[in-house]
C-alpha cells in the first residue's frame, strides 16, 4: 500500500512505501493503544467486547482484563500507572501496578460525566481528558440518559482534585482526541462531529485560551473516517485519524500527507524500543508501521520503573557518556536557573559596567537556557529558579567579601525592584520552584536541598550567572553533597570570556560533567 505525499516534508516522517503490518485481528472494535516503555508491550481495548488486550512480539495477543468497563483511551502517568477512560462507568480511573483502582474523575457539578474518551498527561502531572457521550450509546458503551447536558474537555490538577472545565461548554459537539505540542504550549482537541481540530494556548495555570480552528474538513464522501485519535510527533506535526487512515498536519496546519490503512482507524500510538513504530487500532485489527519521526516526548516515556527484586536497592547510576552521547533519566534531573536577573546580566542593571551583559549576549545565555528549560519541562525535569534577593537596606548581608560590598553599594537585587526580577523570557512557569538566597552558592541557607529530596532528584543541570562565581560554587558544593552536577557551558555567562573559560576548562572539570545545551537535550531523550 502506498501512502499519499502531499508535501515533501511528509517523506521525512514516513517512507511512502512503509509496510502496514497486521499484528492482530478478529476483534470487534479496537481503541486506546498505549506502549509500555519498560516491558515493551502494547495495550489496547476492544470496547464492544468489553475486553482489554495486550500484544508483544513474543506472545502475540493475550487477554488481560474482562470486563474492562468498556475502556477507551489509555495512557500512563510519569510513574507508569495506567490512566483509563471508562465508558461503562463514566469515569477516568488510575490503575496502579499492584492492581489497585482509583477514581480520578467521575462527576462535574454533581452530575455524572458523559463518558471520558481520550486522555493525555502534562509534565506537571495535570491530566486533560475529553468527555463526549459515545459511552452512553449502544455497542460502544452502556445505553443510558445523559446527566451533564454538554460535551467538554476537563483538567484534573497535579495531585488530584475535582475536574475543571477548560473549554466553553458549547464549543464541542463530540470532543475526542487530544494531545500536547512538544513544548506543551499548545493543546490540540478534535471534534468528531464537526470534523475539525482546534488549538488552544496552555496558560501558566493550566487553563486554555485563544481557541482557534487548526484544521477543518477532515471528512470524505468517498471513504469512511473522521477525527478520533490524535497524537503529536517530536517535530510538532499532528497525526489524526481520518478518511482512509491517518492524516498528518504540519505545526502551521498544512496537510502534509496521508497514511493509508486497510481498515477504519480509531486511534494511534508510538511504540517499540526507540518509539519508531506507529501502532494503529483499526476496527477489527491492530496494525504497525515503521516511521522516521518519533512522538512528542511524554512523561511516561522516560520512566524506567521496575517491579524486579533489585529495583529498590540498585545504586544510582551516574550520567552515562556512550559514544559521546549523554544519557539522562529526566525523573532524576532538576535544572537550576540561577541569578539570571536584570541587575546581573542586563544593560541598565546594577552590574552592567562589569561587562556581564556583553558576555551574556555572546553566550546567548538567555536563549539557550530558555530552550533547554522548555525541553526539560516537557520531559518531566524539575525547574528551580534561584534568585539573589536583598531586602531594602540590605539587612543580613555580611560585608565579608568584595562581591557583597559591591552588591550593597550598588543597591542591587532589592526585593520588588526591576533589578531583582528575572530577565524577560525566563520567568517561572506553572510547576516551577523559586529559591531565594543571599550568598553565591545556591545551597547556602536555602531550601534547595529540601526540594531536591522531596522530588527525588540527584542529577542537577546547573545554569545561569556568573560562571566563575555562583555556578562554580554551586557545582563544587553539589559534588561534595553527592549530587551529579552537569554544566552546559553555553547556558552560563560571567563578566568576560577569559573568566568563563578559566572556570569551565579548569575548576569545573573536576566537579561536574561539562557539556552544552544540545547534548543535554539529546541526553534527556
Amino acid at each position: 500500500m502506498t501512502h499519499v505525499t502531499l508535501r515533501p516534508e511528509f517523506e521525512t516522517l514516513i517512507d511512502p512505501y512503509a509496510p502496514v503490518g497486521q499484528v492482530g485481528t478478529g476483534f470487534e472494535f479496537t481503541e486506546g493503544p498505549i506502549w509500555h516503555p519498560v516491558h515493551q508491550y502494547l495495550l489496547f481495548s476492544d470496547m464492544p467486547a468489553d475486553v482489554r488486550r495486550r500484544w508483544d512480539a513474543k506472545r502475540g495477543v493475550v487477554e488481560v482484563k474482562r470486563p474492562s468497563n468498556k475502556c477507551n483511551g489509555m495512557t500512563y502517568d510519569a510513574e507508569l500507572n495506567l490512566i483509563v477512560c471508562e465508558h461503562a462507568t463514566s469515569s477516568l480511573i488510575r490503575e496502579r501496578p499492584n492492581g489497585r483502582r482509583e477514581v480520578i474523575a467521575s462527576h462535574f457539578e454533581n452530575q455524572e460525566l458523559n463518558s471520558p474518551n481520550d486522555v493525555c498527561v502534562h509534565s506537571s502531572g495535570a491530566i486533560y481528558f475529553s468527555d463526549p457521550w459515545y459511552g452512553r450509546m449502544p455497542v460502544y458503551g452502556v445505553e443510558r440518559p445523559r446527566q451533564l447536558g454538554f460535551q467538554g474537555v476537563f483538567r484534573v490538577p497535579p495531585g488530584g482534585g475535582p475536574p475543571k472545565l477548560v473549554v466553553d461548554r458549547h464549543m464541542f459537539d463530540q470532543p475526542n482526541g487530544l494531545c500536547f505540542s512538544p513544548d506543551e504550549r499548545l493543546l490540540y482537541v478534535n471534534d468528531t462531529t464537526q470534523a475539525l481540530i482546534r488549538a488552544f494556548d496552555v496558560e501558566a495555570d493550566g487553563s486554555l485560551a485563544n481557541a482557534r480552528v487548526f484544521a477543518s474538513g477532515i471528512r470524505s464522501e468517498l471513504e469512511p473516517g473522521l477525527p478520533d485519535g490524535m497524537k503529536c510527533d517530536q517535530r510538532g506535526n499532528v497525526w489524526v485519524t481520518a478518511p482512509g487512515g491517518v492524516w498528518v498536519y504540519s505545526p502551521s496546519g498544512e496537510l502534509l500527507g496521508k497514511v493509508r490503512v486497510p481498515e477504519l482507524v480509531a486511534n494511534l500510538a508510538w511504540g517499540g524500543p526507540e518509539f519508531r513504530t506507529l501502532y494503529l487500532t483499526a476496527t477489527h485489527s491492530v496494525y504497525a508501521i515503521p516511521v522516521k519521526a518519533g512522538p512528542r516526548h511524554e512523561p511516561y516515556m522516560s520512566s524506567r520503573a521496575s517491579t524486579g527484586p533489585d529495583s529498590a536497592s540498585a545504586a544510582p547510576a551516574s550520567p552515562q557518556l556512550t559514544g559521546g552521547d549523554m544519557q539522562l533519566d529526566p525523573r532524576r534531573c532538576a535544572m537550576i536557573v540561577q541569578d539570571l536577573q536584570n541587575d546581573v546580566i542586563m544593560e541598565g542593571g546594577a552590574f552592567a559596567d562589569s561587562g556581564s551583559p556583553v558576555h551574556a549576549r555572546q553566550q546567548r545565555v538567555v536563549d539557550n537556557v530558555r530552550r533547554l528549560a522548555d525541553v526539560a519541562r516537557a520531559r518531566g525535569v524539575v525547574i528551580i529558579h534561584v534568585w539573589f534577593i536583598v531586602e531594602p537596606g540590605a539587612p543580613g548581608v555580611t560585608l565579608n567579601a568584595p562581591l557583597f560590598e559591591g552588591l550593597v553599594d550598588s543597591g542591587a537585587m532589592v526585593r520588588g525592584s526591576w533589578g531583582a526580577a528575572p530577565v524577560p523570557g525566563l520567568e517561572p512557569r506553572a510547576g516551577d520552584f523559586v529559591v531565594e538566597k543571599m550568598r553565591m552558592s545556591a545551597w547556602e541557607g536555602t531550601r534547595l536541598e529540601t526540594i531536591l529530596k522531596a522530588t527525588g532528584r540527584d542529577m542537577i543541570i546547573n545554569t545561569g550567572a556568573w560562571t566563575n562565581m555562583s555556578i562554580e560554587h554551586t557545582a563544587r558544593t553539589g559534588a561534595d553533597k553527592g549530587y551529579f552536577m552537569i554544566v552546559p557551558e553555553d547556558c552560563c555567562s560571567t563578566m568576560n570570556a577569559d573568566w568563563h573559560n578559566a572556570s569551565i576548562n579548569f575548576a569545573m572539570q573536576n566537579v561536574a560533567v561539562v557539556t552544552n545545551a544540545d547534548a543535554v537535550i539529546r541526553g534527556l531523550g
Side-chain angles (χ1 to χ4, degrees), residues 350-351 388 390-414 438-439:
F351 300 117
F388 204 120
V390 177
E391 301 296 341
V397 179
T398 55
L399 305 181
N400 62 311
L403 175 70
F404 304 127
E405 291 176 356
L407 179 80
V408 174
D409 290 344
S410 60
M413 320 297 278
V414 175
M438 285 200 303
R439 311 307 283 174

Side-chain angles (χ1 to χ4, degrees), residues 123-124 158 333-339 373 377 380-387 422 426-436 446-457:
S123 60
S124 67
C333 290
M335 178 177 172
I336 294 178
V337 181
Q338 185 165 195
D339 294 359
R377 285 189 191 92
V381 173
V382 169
I383 307 297
I384 305 173
H385 303 261
V386 178
W387 295 340
L426 293 180
E427 299 86 355
R429 305 259 192 93
D432 293 358
F433 294 92
V434 174
V435 168
E436 296 182 359
T446 76
R447 65 189 188 111
L448 174 61
E449 194 157 23
T450 299
I451 294 170
L452 295 172
K453 296 291 188 186
T455 55
R457 311 291 163 144

